[in-house]
Amino acid sequence: MTTSLIDKTPRPALLSRALLLVFVISFSGGNSFYLLVSVVPGYATASGAGGGGAGLTTAALMLATILAELVIPRLVARFGYRIVVAAGLVLLGTPALALPAAAGLPAILVICLVRGLGFAVLVVVCGALVGSLLPAERRGEGLGVYGVVVGIPAVVALPLGVWLAGQVGYAAVFTAGALIPLAALPATAGLPGRTPTAEAPAGVLAGLRDPALARPALVFAATTTAGGIVVSFVPLAVAGPLAAPALFLHAVAATVARWWAGRHGDRHGATGLLVPGLVTAALGIAALVLTTSPVAVLAGMILFGAGFGVIQNATLALMFNRVPESRYGTASSVWNLAYDTGYGAGAAGFGLVAAHTGYPVAFAVTAGLMLTALRPARRG
């Protein structure tokens, strides 16, 4: 009699209590970020800042985020995850309460800078925690779930903020954006404490010089450049009530694609997703040249969202797979630096270009610039 041997070893649990708390914190911070990220540029424009000033609000948010990401590993090593994440929630939420009184662009930019510090803490620390708390054999799947958790705020809060600003005014939206992250403060008590593998900022700089991390980061930065443009300028470039559904479709497509890319990457590898993801995202931005066509705008936002979601998951998975656990902090920081640099530079640059050429030409230039990242995408 032959006996077939079946491996009945149970798969490791995907979710732990600590990971669920990280999800709660990321979800709250994401809602605050997305609720305001498309509203503050409009508020700045209404305050007389113009299109260039609108782009500067997103650029200021991302600039502070980028600078903070270089020192966050050292802060975590000194104070531990709980204190640093709690400080991040406070810095992200509290300054939004001052926005209704900030009538001029300089005051708005200062508030955006402070909120950027809080946002940096949440994206870097929560990203590193997710990487370390997931079982290695289910990392792609777990990152896909994490993508859904952080993607839902984009699906709901991104278009909701634009709609609410028109219905109940800016002040109510700013208040909601402040209270949501502050409500997540109790969750920080259940986070892990200090980690013996926390790295100094030099590890981040070394990661930027490592081709294994730098190439995926460059591809991701090319995509996030367009991401900052979309959330800041689609509400301004698209006339009428089309902006809210366009942002909604973008967020839905990105969330679904990020989850799918995680499952696909576990089975077939993430490297092969870089080129198709980048091309799809660029085609979506190219479609926005037809700003007066609802069909082109909505189709473009779906394409861009899909490509953006694929690139998000594939690049982060590649980075975690290419370094030991002791360098997850570096990988998360490099990935987030690519995200925030692209987001801020795209918004600031697009505003200046569009002021001279108009939105259609600026969208065409953006699509062309994205495709310059095809070479590092091919090399993985």
Side-chain angles (χ1 to χ4, degrees):
M1 181 179 62
T2 60
T3 302
S4 60
L5 298 178
I6 302 175
D7 184 8
K8 295 183 179 180
T9 304
R11 299 179 72 193
L14 184 65
L15 301 178
S16 62
R17 180 178 180 272
L19 186 59
L20 288 173
L21 291 175
V22 174
F23 284 177
V24 168
I25 293 167
S26 296
F27 184 78
S28 300
N31 273 294
S32 176
F33 175 80
Y34 284 110
L35 195 67
L36 270 60
V37 73
S38 288
V39 173
V40 172
Y43 179 65
T45 301
S47 301
L56 286 177
T57 61
T58 304
L61 182 73
M62 294 300 106
L63 174 63
T65 302
I66 291 164
L67 295 177
E69 284 164 352
L70 296 174
V71 300
I72 287 172
R74 179 178 293 169
L75 293 176
V76 171
R78 180 172 181 179
F79 299 106
Y81 285 119
R82 300 184 190 107
I83 293 177
V84 173
V85 173
L89 290 170
V90 171
L91 290 171
L92 180 64
T94 304
L97 294 173
L99 276 170
L105 181 61
I108 295 172
L109 293 180
V110 169
I111 293 170
C112 290
L113 286 169
V114 177
R115 295 189 75 240
L117 300 178
F119 184 61
V121 169
L122 299 185
V123 295
V124 171
V125 178
C126 290
L129 279 170
V130 168
S132 62
L133 293 172
L134 284 170
E137 52 269 52
R138 302 186 68 182
R139 182 172 295 127
E141 181 184 359
L143 290 175
V145 175
Y146 180 59
V148 173
V149 170
V150 297
I152 290 175
V155 172
V156 177
L158 188 58
L160 182 62
V162 175
W163 181 82
L164 283 176
Q167 299 297 314
V168 299
Y170 289 113
V173 180
F174 296 153
T175 300
L179 296 180
I180 291 171
L182 296 178
L185 280 171
T188 60
L191 294 180
R194 302 172 189 271
T195 170
T197 60
E199 297 169 82
V204 178
L205 300 178
L208 292 172
R209 296 190 296 267
D210 183 353
L213 298 181
R215 286 174 185 155
L218 183 59
V219 176
F220 188 40
T223 312
T224 60
T225 296
I229 292 167
V230 163
V231 299
S232 297
F233 287 96
V234 163
L236 304 177
V238 177
L242 189 61
L247 292 175
F248 175 78
L249 289 175
H250 153 63
V252 170
T255 301
V256 173
R258 191 170 179 180
W259 171 79
W260 173 85
R263 293 179 60 86
H264 180 90
D266 271 350
R267 293 163 174 77
H268 307 289
T271 306
L273 294 172
L274 296 182
V275 170
L278 181 63
V279 171
T280 301
L283 288 174
I285 293 298
L288 296 180
V289 169
L290 304 174
T291 55
T292 58
S293 169
V295 174
V297 169
L298 296 179
M301 294 297 278
I302 293 173
L303 285 173
F304 174 71
F308 187 66
V310 167
I311 293 296
Q312 275 185 303
N313 190 287
T315 52
L316 184 58
L318 280 173
M319 290 181 177
F320 280 144
N321 290 340
R322 290 174 175 180
V323 298
E325 185 175 351
S326 62
R327 297 187 66 202
Y328 282 179
T330 292
S332 179
S333 291
V334 170
W335 188 83
N336 281 288
L337 281 170
Y339 193 116
D340 302 330
T341 301
Y343 230 71
F350 186 90
L352 297 174
V353 172
H356 293 87
T357 67
Y359 290 121
V361 173
F363 281 125
V365 170
T366 301
L369 290 175
M370 292 173 66
L371 293 177
T372 62
L374 278 174
R375 183 176 179 180
R378 290 193 186 101
R379 299 181 68 182

